[in-house]
Amino acid sequence: MVKYAQVGTVEAGRWLYDQGDEAHGLYGVLSGSVTTYVTLENGQNVPINISGPGAIFGYAAQVLGGRRVTSAVARERSEIIFIPQRALASIAHDLPSLWLHFAELATEQLSWAAKIIAERTSLPPAACLASRLHAYGIAWGATDGSIALPIRQDELADMTGFSRKTINKILRDFETQGLVALGYREITIRDLPGLMREALRGDRQ
């Protein structure tokens, strides 16, 4: 895949693709970040995820009829990797199992989405937010150490469905507990295992 990869820089606000567009290839983030949206029937774009360095996206369309199921927009100036559809076809010629791998990735994505829905409907807000922050910490490469997430509080509010006020109150509580540190346009995770414990504690309530 590296052999066929095209690398380019996109500015903040640049739409990589729109929901319903024909899929022309696979994307990944080398630096920066990308927000994924789902468009509702009323035309509203609802953010559902933020992808940071190392994330690969756009593979669901490879197994779902070739149409994009979400929209993707650069949050900031980002370095993006793109692998064209023709390159994927060439790779699949020598490695037919490529499509099976895409199906497995799409299934993992569906499982993650189902987990998010279940948490939103069954967990208290603090546990729900702790689980989401933990997931982002893992995605951004944290283990037990500190990691700064370039995610704003209003974005967390949009993605979780909680009010901005509720998100701020929970994050302030987490900061007092030493789980996170709040900064300008970012949230630093200080205690990744602690966030998981907070999420599990809510699951037992």
Side-chain angles (χ1 to χ4, degrees):
M1 295 183 81
V2 171
K3 174 183 176 182
Y4 293 103
Q6 301 173 7
V7 177
T9 300
V10 297
E11 300 300 326
R14 167 75 179 275
W15 286 67
L16 301 179
Y17 55 78
D18 203 356
Q19 184 173 323
D21 286 352
E22 183 178 354
H24 294 296
L26 197 64
Y27 288 86
V29 181
L30 295 180
S31 66
S33 54
V34 172
T35 300
T36 302
Y37 294 86
V38 167
T39 303
L40 303 181
E41 293 296 330
N42 63 4
Q44 179 184 2
N45 291 313
V46 179
I48 60 171
N49 192 29
I50 294 176
S51 300
I56 300 294
F57 56 96
Y59 45 78
Q62 311 301 325
V63 293
L64 293 174
R67 295 286 175 180
R68 300 294 186 191
V69 296
T70 59
S71 302
V73 184
R75 296 175 63 251
E76 57 195 306
R77 196 169 192 266
S78 303
E79 192 175 24
I80 301 296
I81 187 171
F82 174 70
I83 303 173
Q85 194 73 30
R86 63 181 182 278
L88 294 174
S90 178
I91 296 170
H93 181 270
D94 300 321
L95 185 68
S97 61
L98 177 68
W99 305 121
L100 175 60
H101 296 319
F102 282 147
E104 291 173 344
L105 286 171
T107 300
E108 287 184 9
Q109 188 180 53
L110 179 61
S111 297
W112 180 81
K115 176 177 178 287
I116 293 298
I117 294 172
E119 289 178 343
R120 180 64 181 87
T121 56
S122 64
L123 295 183
C128 185
L129 183 58
S131 179
R132 179 66 70 96
L133 289 174
H134 182 272
Y136 280 134
I138 296 296
W140 253 265
T143 52
D144 291 341
S146 177
I147 187 74
L149 305 177
I151 300 177
R152 305 190 309 272
Q153 294 187 35
D154 62 306
E155 291 176 316
L156 281 175
D158 288 339
M159 288 187 293
T160 59
F162 300 124
S163 69
R164 174 70 167 75
K165 182 178 180 180
T166 296
I167 292 295
N168 181 260
K169 181 181 184 304
I170 295 172
L171 288 175
R172 293 295 179 188
D173 289 342
F174 285 175
E175 188 172 40
T176 299
Q177 298 173 49
L179 301 177
V180 304
L182 304 182
Y184 176 67
R185 301 174 69 87
E186 71 175 23
I187 299 167
T188 299
I189 293 179
R190 296 295 192 193
D191 184 356
L192 191 67
L195 285 173
M196 176 54 70
R197 289 193 295 270
E198 182 69 29
L200 292 175
R201 182 160 48 246
D203 192 35
R204 293 191 293 268
Q205 290 180 358

